[in-house]
Amino acid sequence: MKFMSFKNNQKVKVGVLLKNEQYVVDINDLNLSKNYDDMLDLIENISDKDIEIIKNFNFDENNVKTYSLDCIDICAPIIKPKHDIICIGVNYQEHLNETKNSFKKGEFIEPKKVVYFSKRVVEAIGNDDYIENDNFTDELDYEVELAVIIGKKGKNISKEEVKDYIFGYTIMNDISARDLQQQHLQWYRGKSLDTFTSLGPVIVHKEEIPFPIELDIYSKVNGEIRQKSNTKYLLSDIPSIISEISTGMTLEPGDIIATGTPSGVGMGFNPPKYMKSKDIVECGIERIGVLRNVVK
């Protein structure tokens, strides 16, 4: 099951992507136990029974209105996150190495434990939306990441229980202003400007991706492969991340945890390959899809 938020006639709907991935249906047309106002409502309140109905729904035999992806606007699946996104820094060894080499001498200390930081998102952008720079930075960078969507409230979650607390997975482009990032001791500002978080195009339900999570992940800029790896190379895996971050901290339905990016970011090249106006950046993850944005 792939869930998405889409806009039709200026109204945002929650949809289920059909298997041919060319059409989507409004989830409220499937006669479920309740109508869902938005994706956060769905994540927090959908029942196992409704999940089963969607899973087994015969779209060919039932007369349900479909929307062609060519005729709708695909939004970020979660447009306004409930909280700041929880991010994991330098969670692939090769990206850790390139970050260490790219930062000015003395400004990056190799961490002994997992690096956590947050990313403010007033409103996430979605597939084909514009990344707006507004001349804030000359060092605009991309980072493809697997993002985990929490499905139920939890605290002090053991590694063995983690899957029970996950709703699904999506793609995040953690867009970054590297100059701002390096000017401050914290990375918050350089990663939190408006339009600097792209999510989507869908949320894949956890049933579709079994543990351990081993998915090919890549990014392209103007068709050139920049990043290419697999999530099996995460230094701290998803059960470890969620178990640790939930120790003493409550996670809620709809919370987003970005698991880190592999090597090949623009900052890591010599000379750097930062994004510029009209560049097309594509972030892809196996079994989820491709998230595409254009720099304005």
Side-chain angles (χ1 to χ4, degrees), residues 150-155 157 165 250-253:
I150 297 299
K152 69 176 182 178
K153 189 174 183 178
K155 184 178 179 180
I157 303 167
Y165 288 83
T250 300
L251 297 177
E252 294 189 314

Side-chain angles (χ1 to χ4, degrees), residues 27-28 31-37 41-42 45-47 50:
I27 201 165
N28 291 329
N31 296 318
L32 302 179
S33 62
K34 71 179 291 289
N35 280 352
Y36 295 100
D37 296 331
D41 183 24
L42 174 81
N45 295 303
I46 194 165
S47 63
D50 279 354

Side-chain angles (χ1 to χ4, degrees), residues 146-148 166 168-170 202-204 206 209 211 213 238 288:
L146 174 67
V148 182
I166 293 173
Y169 308 91
T170 192
V202 298
I203 295 175
V204 177
K206 64 181 178 182
I209 302 176
F211 273 24
I213 308 297
I238 290 167
I288 301 177

Side-chain angles (χ1 to χ4, degrees), residues 155-163 165 239 242-243 246:
K155 184 178 179 180
N156 302 326
I157 303 167
S158 70
K159 291 182 183 180
E160 293 73 25
E161 297 175 305
V162 160
K163 189 174 180 181
Y165 288 83
I242 293 178
S243 179
S246 72

